[in-house]
Amino acid sequence: MLLIPCPWCGPRDEPEFKFAAEPALRPTSDVSDAVWADYLYLRTNEKGFHREVWSHAGGCGQFFLLERDTLTHTIHRALKPGEPS
Amino acid sequence: MRYSAVSLLRQGLAGQTGWPQAWRSPEPKKSYDAVIVGGGGHGLAAAYYLACVHGMRRVAVLEKSWLGGGNTGRNTTIVRSNYFFPESAAIYDFALRLYEGLSQELDYNIMLSQRGILMLAHTEHDMELMARSVNAMLLNGIDVELLDAKQVRAEVPLLNFAPDARYEIHGGFTQRRGGIARHDAVAWGYARGASGLGVDIIQGCEVTGFDIVAGRVTGVQTTRGAISAGAIGLAAAGHSGVLAGMAGFKLPIQSYALQAMVSEAVKPILDTVVMSSATGMYVSQSDKGELVFGAGLDLYPSYAQRGNLPVEREVIAGMLEMFPAFRRLKLLRAWAGLVDVCWDYSPIIGPAPVQGMYLNCGWGTGGFKAIPAGGWMLAHLLATGQHHPISAPFDLSRFETGRLIDEAAGAGIAH
Ligand SMILES: Cc1cc2nc3c(=O)[nH]c(=O)nc-3n(C[C@H](O)[C@H](O)[C@H](O)COP(=O)(O)OP(=O)(O)OC[C@H]3O[C@@H](n4cnc5c(N)ncnc54)[C@H](O)[C@@H]3O)c2cc1C
Ligand SMILES: [Zn+2]
């Protein structure tokens, strides 16, 4: 069971949360199909240290950035949107 | 050695001391015409078909741990071809037809048991959507049948038909040619077949990098030295993204843990595979008598090869809801595999962005049933550099053109 530290609510159990995506910046609408496909579908899918957007869906509903290890499931830290990393 | 009643008798009389190794374990050579990364079912099948269909013998399979130690030896062994889109029906039914002759072809019993696979509908809406799926599958030439609640009850009387059942059963559909097979035997049978045709199967050999010259791959770096190769096939399932990273590109794949579990063994009580659209769980009974069951993914990226308790609990709750009689069984084991999930729940087969490199990945939660076809297609690519007509729609370019084959929405079933 993951214990995830919501930046607003503190540590809560895994079932309250939803993994959303790898963070990415949405390109402008005039880019090529390749750039758009990269944004929509391609992932680094990192083994080890990984930055992820999660939401506390079953709690405060907020999105936040989670730094987590995908191999060991160690959670390093959670950041509010815009919080300097 | 040919396996037969005679060889069994002879070895029995000799105290089982004369069985030769099923495949050779040679030292890696410096160079091969084709190198396949990943000794799961897809990689081993590709090596076998390269040798027997295309006559290529200077071929190696590199596996970082042991054969079938990835998803091929961790899955719940369901085989079926009841997919919604014609492209999927073509590839999965090709696989099922190859499976039907595989024990004979490989002289190795893969224990294919075509006991049928039943998908349940729990509401009238489920039934309507199911009728639509069944019609699409029939048009694809797949042998499926829509069943009403009475027929389902006659086939699987143990299901929860109580008036207060949380998920009422309105009917279902079955593919009678579907069923299960022995996963290890599929890996071992292909390994033995390939090795017998001269393929080098090299375990304990991890690929750690690629040699790429002017956009073309010329070989691999491994924990057992450098190996040059005319063509390279990647069949590394959950680690496909890691290999792509080494070669300098990204894939539309996310790796997740998928769990399964078995109960203690009991006498025969369930003679088909049952899946539920409401709980997402599925169950079958192995030849040993264990109930083998699972459901959805642990829905966050993972390379841990283990799942977590919340999903395990949901799987078990789902099964007990469907089969109250299983309530008193003990859980024997639970485990997870590392699955490579594509956004449209269809595989990626075709050339990689690096010349001379070919992909077979993205099978996600359902690629055991596809092993013979996935191997066939990868072999075709490695030998000819061209798509087989069946694999063409699964090319990586579909994510750019938008021609996805969205089986997640289409058939609505995993595994
Ligand atoms: C719990 C569970 C249940 C499932 N149930 C079903 C089912 O009922 N029906 C179905 O059809 N499918 C099912 N699947 C999916 C199915 O198991 C997989 O899609 C299929 O086995 C994939 O085969 P593969 O050969 O591509 O991968 P794998 O068998 O995973 O083989 C890939 C191999 O590559 C090796 N490798 C990785 N990186 C490297 C490297 N750098 N160098 C060398 N080797 C490397 C790995 O060690 C591994 O052995 C299930 C999966 C799981 C986990
Ligand atoms: Zn919160």
Side-chain angles (χ1 to χ4, degrees):
Chain A
M1 173 91 80
L2 302 182
L3 188 62
I4 300 177
C6 172
W8 286 274
C9 312
R12 299 288 186 88
D13 281 352
E14 170 185 334
E16 292 187 17
F17 295 87
K18 252 180 119 82
F19 163 77
E22 278 183 13
L25 283 181
R26 188 185 174 119
T28 52
S29 54
D30 54 355
V31 297
S32 67
D33 288 352
V35 172
W36 189 243
D38 185 315
Y39 164 70
L40 273 185
Y41 299 121
L42 301 192
R43 298 294 182 263
T44 63
N45 198 16
E46 218 59 66
K47 179 178 183 174
F49 182 82
H50 201 220
R51 287 161 66 85
E52 305 171 334
V53 179
W54 284 68
S55 82
H56 191 186
C60 64
Q62 300 268 28
F63 283 88
F64 60 92
L65 193 72
L66 191 68
E67 292 179 354
R68 195 176 64 92
D69 191 304
T70 56
L71 181 60
T72 62
H73 287 180
T74 305
I75 289 172
H76 298 298
R77 58 180 180 158
L79 298 167
K80 290 181 181 168
E83 199 174 316
S85 50
Chain B
M1 175 194 279
R2 240 201 92 71
Y3 295 152
S4 65
V6 178
S7 65
L8 201 60
L9 184 70
R10 203 173 277 149
Q11 292 304 325
L13 294 174
Q16 316 289 357
T17 51
W19 293 109
Q21 280 194 321
W23 57 83
R24 298 169 296 111
S25 292
E27 283 301 309
K29 298 193 183 82
K30 286 272 160 280
S31 136
Y32 292 95
D33 293 337
V35 161
I36 295 163
V37 186
H42 283 275
L44 293 165
Y48 172 75
Y49 293 122
L50 261 181
C52 90
V53 177
H54 301 280
M56 283 174 71
R57 303 292 159 97
R58 286 173 28 86
V59 173
V61 178
L62 310 181
E63 165 55 50
K64 74 179 163 83
S65 50
W66 67 93
L67 294 191
N71 296 334
T72 297
R74 292 167 186 269
N75 75 89
T76 46
T77 78
I78 294 168
V79 298
R80 60 185 180 88
S81 62
N82 50 359
Y83 278 76
F84 186 81
F85 291 105
E87 297 86 346
S88 313
I91 194 165
Y92 290 105
D93 206 55
F94 182 58
L96 187 51
R97 279 182 279 125
L98 287 172
Y99 262 138
E100 284 169 340
L102 202 58
S103 292
Q104 288 299 325
E105 172 165 0
L106 296 177
D107 178 36
Y108 203 93
N109 189 358
I110 63 154
M111 296 166 79
L112 177 67
S113 164
Q114 293 178 291
R115 58 184 65 185
I117 169 158
L118 172 68
M119 177 78 178
L120 298 172
H122 297 285
T123 63
E124 279 315 298
H125 306 294
D126 274 2
M127 272 310 270
E128 278 168 23
L129 278 176
M130 204 169 261
R132 171 175 176 264
S133 294
V134 162
N135 286 335
M137 289 168 193
L138 289 172
L139 287 175
N140 291 338
I142 306 299
D143 58 311
V144 285
E145 285 166 49
L146 198 64
L147 307 178
D148 64 21
K150 248 170 81 185
Q151 289 168 302
V152 169
R153 188 165 195 169
E155 298 209 1
V156 190
L158 268 184
L159 275 166
N160 190 355
F161 283 94
D164 62 345
R166 171 73 181 78
Y167 299 108
E168 208 179 322
I169 294 168
H170 282 244
F173 85 97
T174 179
Q175 182 184 19
R176 304 219 183 266
R177 282 165 64 234
I180 56 176
R182 172 85 203 273
H183 49 15
D184 295 324
V186 171
W188 297 338
Y190 274 124
R192 175 170 172 268
S195 177
L197 293 170
V199 170
D200 283 358
I201 289 167
I202 300 162
Q203 303 181 68
C205 179
E206 179 171 356
V207 170
T208 53
F210 296 100
D211 300 326
I212 297 172
V213 182
R216 192 181 173 86
V217 68
T218 58
V220 291
Q221 298 292 327
T222 79
T223 47
R224 295 175 67 177
I227 300 172
S228 69
I232 291 180
L234 303 187
H239 279 90
S240 299
V242 176
L243 287 162
M246 290 175 196
F249 61 95
K250 290 189 286 183
L251 287 170
I253 285 180
Q254 195 98 68
S255 296
Y256 295 99
L258 178 65
Q259 306 196 50
M261 42 215 101
V262 292
S263 75
E264 61 186 316
V266 288
K267 291 193 172 158
I269 40 171
L270 185 63
D271 63 359
T272 185
V273 184
V274 180
M275 296 184 157
S276 158
S277 59
T279 62
M281 66 74 62
Y282 61 95
V283 56
S284 67
Q285 188 173 23
S286 75
D287 292 332
K288 279 187 285 184
E290 302 157 335
L291 294 165
V292 182
F293 57 101
L297 297 161
D298 280 50
L299 272 174
Y300 46 85
S302 176
Y303 284 87
Q305 248 181 19
R306 66 186 149 79
N308 267 331
L309 282 175
V311 170
E312 189 173 337
R313 179 181 171 278
E314 239 168 69
V315 175
I316 294 171
M319 182 171 74
L320 299 188
E321 178 54 43
M322 303 312 307
F323 291 96
F326 295 169
R327 201 151 288 185
R328 294 172 63 179
L329 290 177
K330 292 196 181 76
L331 194 64
L332 203 65
R333 286 194 307 281
W335 67 91
L338 187 48
V339 296
D340 43 338
V341 179
C342 270
W343 303 106
D344 59 356
Y345 268 73
S346 288
I348 298 169
I349 309 170
V354 175
Q355 270 179 48
M357 188 183 280
Y358 300 92
L359 304 169
N360 169 332
C361 58
W363 294 102
T365 59
F368 174 73
K369 67 175 81 68
I371 283 172
W376 189 289
M377 300 301 143
L378 182 58
H380 190 94
L381 282 156
L382 285 164
T384 67
Q386 307 291 323
H387 266 295
H388 185 285
I390 290 181
S391 68
F394 297 96
D395 194 84
L396 182 59
S397 63
R398 75 178 186 272
F399 293 92
E400 202 173 312
T401 60
R403 281 194 58 93
L404 303 187
I405 305 167
D406 193 355
E407 284 296 345
I413 34 180
H415 313 297

